[in-house]
């Protein structure tokens, strides 16, 4: 991975992480100060809590991606340590999907006249789970690469002994 690519990705990660922290701070402030009263149309307090938790899952994934980029840059990504970060990313994505399904359930009673919105929201939740499955497939590819790397190292050691 090139230096420019790493810098660009890290810049994006910093901007997104900063944005999520700012939104979280505003959500926590809205919860604590009760600055906008609920009119009963939507359960705002549970939605805010779910949003805060969803942002935590995104932040966890962002930190793990940062660590993986660091490992790629150092050339150590083909190790068993990388699996821990990939597993956490998968867990964060699944958590985000479950939180999205919770938002869908909270929003559903208000959509009785137009249930298509609830169906679309459910589809978005399935798409989020699909991203988790894609990362799981990429984890399998990482496992295969690590196995090949270990095998190549063993073969190199045997070759060095012969020579």
């Amino acid at each position: 991975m090139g230096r420019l690519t790493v810098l660009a990705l890290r810049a994006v990660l910093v901007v997104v992480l900063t944005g999520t922290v700012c939104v979280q701070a505003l959500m926590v402030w809205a919860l604590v100060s009760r600055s906008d009263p609920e009119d009963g149309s939507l359960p705002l307090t549970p939605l805010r809590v779910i949003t805060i938790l969803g942002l935590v899952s995104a932040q966890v994934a962002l930190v793990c991606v940062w660590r993986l980029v660091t490992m790629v840059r150092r050339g150590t990504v083909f190790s068993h340590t990388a699996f821990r970060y990939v597993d956490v990313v998968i867990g964060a994505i699944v958590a985000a999907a479950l939180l999205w399904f919770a938002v869908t359930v909270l929003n559903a009673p208000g959509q009785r006249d137009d249930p298509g919105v609830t169906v679309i929201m459910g589809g978005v939740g399935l798409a989020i789970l699909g991203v988790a499955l894609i990362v799981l497939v990429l984890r399998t590819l990482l496992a295969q690469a690590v196995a090949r790397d270990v095998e190549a190292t063993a073969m190199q050691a045997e070759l060095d002994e012969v020579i």
Side-chain angles (χ1 to χ4, degrees):
M1 192 185 276
R3 179 172 163 74
L4 184 60
T5 305
V6 169
L7 287 174
L9 180 56
R10 285 188 173 164
V12 169
L13 292 173
V14 166
V15 169
V16 173
L17 189 61
T18 303
T20 59
V21 168
C22 290
V23 170
Q24 270 181 322
L26 292 172
M27 290 287 182
V28 169
W29 176 253
L31 280 173
V32 172
S33 69
R34 303 223 182 250
S35 58
D36 59 346
E38 296 183 25
D39 64 357
S41 63
L42 277 175
L44 292 180
T45 300
L47 288 174
R48 284 189 182 115
V49 170
I50 291 170
T51 301
I52 291 167
L53 293 174
L55 291 173
V56 167
S57 70
Q59 291 163 347
V60 166
L62 290 170
V63 169
C64 288
V65 168
W66 183 284
R67 293 293 302 145
L68 287 167
V69 168
T70 301
M71 292 178 79
V72 167
R73 192 73 183 132
R74 291 180 183 158
T76 60
V77 75
F78 295 117
S79 66
H80 293 287
T81 307
F83 291 111
R84 176 178 32 165
Y85 296 115
V86 175
D87 290 341
V88 172
V89 168
I90 292 169
I93 295 170
V94 170
L98 294 175
L99 290 167
W100 182 257
F101 285 130
V103 168
T104 303
V105 168
L106 286 172
N107 189 50
Q111 301 298 327
R112 288 194 179 117
D113 295 336
D114 188 11
V117 172
T118 303
V119 172
I120 290 169
M121 289 178 73
V124 169
L126 286 175
I128 296 168
L129 285 176
V131 171
L133 289 173
I134 289 169
V135 176
L136 182 62
V137 168
L138 294 174
R139 183 194 186 285
T140 303
L141 293 174
L142 177 63
Q144 290 175 354
V146 168
R148 298 282 187 269
D149 191 48
V150 168
E151 184 179 321
T153 302
M155 292 175 87
Q156 182 65 43
E158 288 178 18
L159 186 60
D160 288 343
E161 285 179 16
V162 171
I163 296 177

